[in-house]
PDB file of all heavy atoms in Angstrom:
ATOM      1  N   SER A   7       4.150  -1.584  -0.791  1.00  0.00           N
ATOM      2  CA  SER A   7       4.396  -2.831  -0.128  1.00  0.00           C
ATOM      3  C   SER A   7       3.766  -3.855  -0.795  1.00  0.00           C
ATOM      4  O   SER A   7       2.751  -3.816  -1.398  1.00  0.00           O
ATOM      5  CB  SER A   7       3.977  -2.745   1.294  1.00  0.00           C
ATOM      6  OG  SER A   7       4.297  -3.986   1.945  1.00  0.00           O
ATOM      7  N   PHE A   8       4.423  -5.117  -0.859  1.00  0.00           N
ATOM      8  CA  PHE A   8       3.745  -6.261  -1.431  1.00  0.00           C
ATOM      9  C   PHE A   8       3.437  -7.208  -0.312  1.00  0.00           C
ATOM     10  O   PHE A   8       4.226  -7.689   0.402  1.00  0.00           O
ATOM     11  CB  PHE A   8       4.751  -6.998  -2.333  1.00  0.00           C
ATOM     12  CG  PHE A   8       5.150  -6.101  -3.487  1.00  0.00           C
ATOM     13  CD1 PHE A   8       6.249  -5.245  -3.461  1.00  0.00           C
ATOM     14  CD2 PHE A   8       4.395  -6.028  -4.709  1.00  0.00           C
ATOM     15  CE1 PHE A   8       6.635  -4.447  -4.496  1.00  0.00           C
ATOM     16  CE2 PHE A   8       4.721  -5.314  -5.764  1.00  0.00           C
ATOM     17  CZ  PHE A   8       5.759  -4.433  -5.662  1.00  0.00           C
ATOM     18  N   LEU A   9       2.117  -7.553  -0.277  1.00  0.00           N
ATOM     19  CA  LEU A   9       1.597  -8.476   0.677  1.00  0.00           C
ATOM     20  C   LEU A   9       1.665  -9.896   0.257  1.00  0.00           C
ATOM     21  O   LEU A   9       1.199 -10.141  -0.906  1.00  0.00           O
ATOM     22  CB  LEU A   9       0.093  -8.149   1.002  1.00  0.00           C
ATOM     23  CG  LEU A   9      -0.574  -8.907   2.133  1.00  0.00           C
ATOM     24  CD1 LEU A   9       0.073  -8.780   3.511  1.00  0.00           C
ATOM     25  CD2 LEU A   9      -2.056  -8.537   2.213  1.00  0.00           C
ATOM     26  N   GLY A  10       2.187 -10.748   1.134  1.00  0.00           N
ATOM     27  CA  GLY A  10       2.339 -12.249   0.707  1.00  0.00           C
ATOM     28  C   GLY A  10       1.088 -13.017   1.031  1.00  0.00           C
ATOM     29  O   GLY A  10       0.262 -12.493   1.798  1.00  0.00           O
ATOM     30  N   ALA A  11       1.103 -14.132   0.630  1.00  0.00           N
ATOM     31  CA  ALA A  11       0.019 -15.116   0.924  1.00  0.00           C
ATOM     32  C   ALA A  11       0.376 -16.145   1.990  1.00  0.00           C
ATOM     33  O   ALA A  11      -0.407 -17.066   2.309  1.00  0.00           O
ATOM     34  CB  ALA A  11      -0.517 -15.864  -0.345  1.00  0.00           C
ATOM     35  N   ASN A  12       1.505 -15.886   2.591  1.00  0.00           N
ATOM     36  CA  ASN A  12       1.967 -16.954   3.550  1.00  0.00           C
ATOM     37  C   ASN A  12       1.354 -16.789   4.890  1.00  0.00           C
ATOM     38  O   ASN A  12       0.630 -15.678   5.138  1.00  0.00           O
ATOM     39  CB  ASN A  12       3.495 -16.875   3.715  1.00  0.00           C
ATOM     40  CG  ASN A  12       4.022 -15.463   4.075  1.00  0.00           C
ATOM     41  OD1 ASN A  12       3.522 -14.524   3.594  1.00  0.00           O
ATOM     42  ND2 ASN A  12       5.020 -15.420   4.873  1.00  0.00           N
ATOM     43  N   ASP A  13       1.656 -17.628   5.814  1.00  0.00           N
ATOM     44  CA  ASP A  13       0.918 -17.589   7.176  1.00  0.00           C
ATOM     45  C   ASP A  13       1.796 -16.671   8.082  1.00  0.00           C
ATOM     46  O   ASP A  13       2.824 -17.197   8.533  1.00  0.00           O
ATOM     47  CB  ASP A  13       0.895 -19.063   7.719  1.00  0.00           C
ATOM     48  CG  ASP A  13       0.165 -19.180   9.009  1.00  0.00           C
ATOM     49  OD1 ASP A  13      -0.565 -18.216   9.372  1.00  0.00           O
ATOM     50  OD2 ASP A  13       0.486 -20.135   9.715  1.00  0.00           O
ATOM     51  N   TYR A  14       1.425 -15.472   8.191  1.00  0.00           N
ATOM     52  CA  TYR A  14       2.239 -14.573   8.995  1.00  0.00           C
ATOM     53  C   TYR A  14       1.983 -14.891  10.487  1.00  0.00           C
ATOM     54  O   TYR A  14       0.928 -15.240  11.007  1.00  0.00           O
ATOM     55  CB  TYR A  14       1.707 -13.116   8.720  1.00  0.00           C
ATOM     56  CG  TYR A  14       2.065 -12.545   7.458  1.00  0.00           C
ATOM     57  CD1 TYR A  14       1.267 -12.650   6.349  1.00  0.00           C
ATOM     58  CD2 TYR A  14       3.430 -11.998   7.248  1.00  0.00           C
ATOM     59  CE1 TYR A  14       1.609 -12.142   5.042  1.00  0.00           C
ATOM     60  CE2 TYR A  14       3.685 -11.419   6.039  1.00  0.00           C
ATOM     61  CZ  TYR A  14       2.897 -11.628   4.911  1.00  0.00           C
ATOM     62  OH  TYR A  14       3.161 -11.083   3.710  1.00  0.00           O
ATOM     63  N   LEU A  15       3.152 -14.741  11.226  1.00  0.00           N
ATOM     64  CA  LEU A  15       3.173 -14.970  12.687  1.00  0.00           C
ATOM     65  C   LEU A  15       3.428 -13.650  13.324  1.00  0.00           C
ATOM     66  O   LEU A  15       4.043 -12.766  12.869  1.00  0.00           O
ATOM     67  CB  LEU A  15       4.322 -15.943  13.005  1.00  0.00           C
ATOM     68  CG  LEU A  15       4.083 -17.341  12.303  1.00  0.00           C
ATOM     69  CD1 LEU A  15       5.388 -18.205  12.548  1.00  0.00           C
ATOM     70  CD2 LEU A  15       2.879 -18.037  12.759  1.00  0.00           C
ATOM     71  N   PRO A  16       2.987 -13.554  14.641  1.00  0.00           N
ATOM     72  CA  PRO A  16       3.138 -12.292  15.368  1.00  0.00           C
ATOM     73  C   PRO A  16       4.741 -12.085  15.575  1.00  0.00           C
ATOM     74  O   PRO A  16       5.480 -12.918  15.876  1.00  0.00           O
ATOM     75  CB  PRO A  16       2.444 -12.566  16.649  1.00  0.00           C
ATOM     76  CG  PRO A  16       1.932 -13.829  16.649  1.00  0.00           C
ATOM     77  CD  PRO A  16       2.100 -14.478  15.371  1.00  0.00           C
ATOM     78  N   THR A  17       5.118 -10.801  15.327  1.00  0.00           N
ATOM     79  CA  THR A  17       6.497 -10.447  15.357  1.00  0.00           C
ATOM     80  C   THR A  17       6.539  -9.118  16.067  1.00  0.00           C
ATOM     81  O   THR A  17       5.636  -8.217  15.819  1.00  0.00           O
ATOM     82  CB  THR A  17       7.114 -10.345  13.926  1.00  0.00           C
ATOM     83  OG1 THR A  17       6.908 -11.622  13.323  1.00  0.00           O
ATOM     84  CG2 THR A  17       8.615 -10.001  13.975  1.00  0.00           C
ATOM     85  N   ARG A  18       7.686  -8.825  16.769  1.00  0.00           N
ATOM     86  CA  ARG A  18       7.868  -7.570  17.367  1.00  0.00           C
ATOM     87  C   ARG A  18       9.008  -6.856  16.526  1.00  0.00           C
ATOM     88  O   ARG A  18       9.994  -7.381  16.202  1.00  0.00           O
ATOM     89  CB  ARG A  18       8.332  -7.695  18.824  1.00  0.00           C
ATOM     90  CG  ARG A  18       7.274  -8.295  19.714  1.00  0.00           C
ATOM     91  CD  ARG A  18       7.617  -8.550  21.094  1.00  0.00           C
ATOM     92  NE  ARG A  18       7.527  -7.212  21.710  1.00  0.00           N
ATOM     93  CZ  ARG A  18       8.026  -7.004  22.960  1.00  0.00           C
ATOM     94  NH1 ARG A  18       8.480  -7.952  23.702  1.00  0.00           N
ATOM     95  NH2 ARG A  18       7.854  -5.844  23.487  1.00  0.00           N
ATOM     96  N   TYR A  19       8.698  -5.567  16.288  1.00  0.00           N
ATOM     97  CA  TYR A  19       9.586  -4.762  15.306  1.00  0.00           C
ATOM     98  C   TYR A  19      10.194  -3.715  16.083  1.00  0.00           C
ATOM     99  O   TYR A  19       9.656  -3.174  17.017  1.00  0.00           O
ATOM    100  CB  TYR A  19       8.792  -4.284  14.112  1.00  0.00           C
ATOM    101  CG  TYR A  19       8.240  -5.333  13.261  1.00  0.00           C
ATOM    102  CD1 TYR A  19       6.837  -5.790  13.503  1.00  0.00           C
ATOM    103  CD2 TYR A  19       8.922  -5.901  12.297  1.00  0.00           C
ATOM    104  CE1 TYR A  19       6.274  -6.780  12.725  1.00  0.00           C
ATOM    105  CE2 TYR A  19       8.332  -6.985  11.465  1.00  0.00           C
ATOM    106  CZ  TYR A  19       7.004  -7.386  11.700  1.00  0.00           C
ATOM    107  OH  TYR A  19       6.485  -8.304  10.942  1.00  0.00           O
ATOM    108  N   TYR A  20      11.357  -3.248  15.736  1.00  0.00           N
ATOM    109  CA  TYR A  20      11.926  -2.032  16.114  1.00  0.00           C
ATOM    110  C   TYR A  20      12.854  -1.448  15.198  1.00  0.00           C
ATOM    111  O   TYR A  20      13.334  -2.010  14.171  1.00  0.00           O
ATOM    112  CB  TYR A  20      12.842  -2.284  17.545  1.00  0.00           C
ATOM    113  CG  TYR A  20      13.876  -3.193  17.276  1.00  0.00           C
ATOM    114  CD1 TYR A  20      15.269  -2.828  16.868  1.00  0.00           C
ATOM    115  CD2 TYR A  20      13.779  -4.712  17.289  1.00  0.00           C
ATOM    116  CE1 TYR A  20      16.285  -3.678  16.594  1.00  0.00           C
ATOM    117  CE2 TYR A  20      14.908  -5.599  17.058  1.00  0.00           C
ATOM    118  CZ  TYR A  20      16.073  -5.075  16.644  1.00  0.00           C
ATOM    119  OH  TYR A  20      17.047  -5.858  16.470  1.00  0.00           O
TER     120      TYR A  20
END
Side-chain angles (χ1 to χ4, degrees):
S7 181
F8 295 92
L9 181 64
N12 56 320
D13 184 20
Y14 288 93
L15 299 174
T17 304
R18 298 180 76 187
Y19 299 94
Y20 63 91

